[in-house]
Amino acid sequence: MTAKTAALVFGLVFIAVGLLGFVDNPIVGTSDDAIFHADQTHNIVHIVSGVLFVLVALAAAGAAKTFLILFGVVYLALGVMGLTSIGSDSMTTLLGFLHVNANDNYLHIGLGVVILLVGLTSRRV
């Protein structure tokens, strides 16, 4: 798989998840019953991240591999930061504005690893 294709796929998934967060559902949302906590700000971060993936894939395909690697490292770091700061609470705020729960942190770590590995193993173009 090329880095361009991977970035495009990740971008579309992030946009879809961001939009899904605005619809009441048991997977992503503000409800205590939702598996992953995603308030309006969190949804916007997902959409912006997805748009960045798509823009890099379409406008700067040569940079897609580097973008995947950097994004994977950042997501992995956010997941670790969330886990270390959550303490005994089930919810925490990352970077002063992003509300996450423990499931979010595990997902961020998993996504960070996957995106990083895809970036490292994908063909440049």
Side-chain angles (χ1 to χ4, degrees):
M1 176 183 305
T2 66
K4 175 183 177 177
T5 302
L8 190 56
V9 169
F10 281 122
L12 295 174
V13 169
F14 269 83
I15 291 169
V17 169
L19 294 174
L20 180 65
F22 288 110
V23 178
D24 189 29
N25 69 83
I27 299 169
V28 179
T30 57
S31 164
D32 289 337
D33 296 331
I35 297 170
F36 303 104
H37 181 81
D39 57 11
Q40 184 175 8
T41 303
H42 203 145
N43 295 330
I44 291 169
V45 168
H46 287 148
I47 292 169
V48 169
S49 297
V51 168
L52 287 174
F53 270 113
V54 171
L55 286 175
V56 167
L58 298 179
K65 183 175 181 77
T66 303
F67 183 78
L68 287 164
I69 293 167
L70 290 173
F71 197 92
V73 168
V74 168
Y75 241 61
L76 182 58
L78 286 173
V80 170
M81 284 173 44
L83 278 181
T84 58
S85 67
I86 207 161
S88 61
D89 296 332
S90 61
M91 185 80 64
T92 191
T93 303
L94 285 178
L95 307 174
F97 71 95
L98 191 63
H99 291 83
V100 295
N101 64 15
N103 291 337
D104 290 317
N105 295 324
Y106 294 121
L107 179 63
H108 291 157
I109 289 171
L111 279 173
V113 168
V114 168
I115 294 169
L116 175 62
L117 289 175
V118 168
L120 291 171
T121 61
S122 63
R123 294 187 320 271
R124 187 149 303 270
V125 178

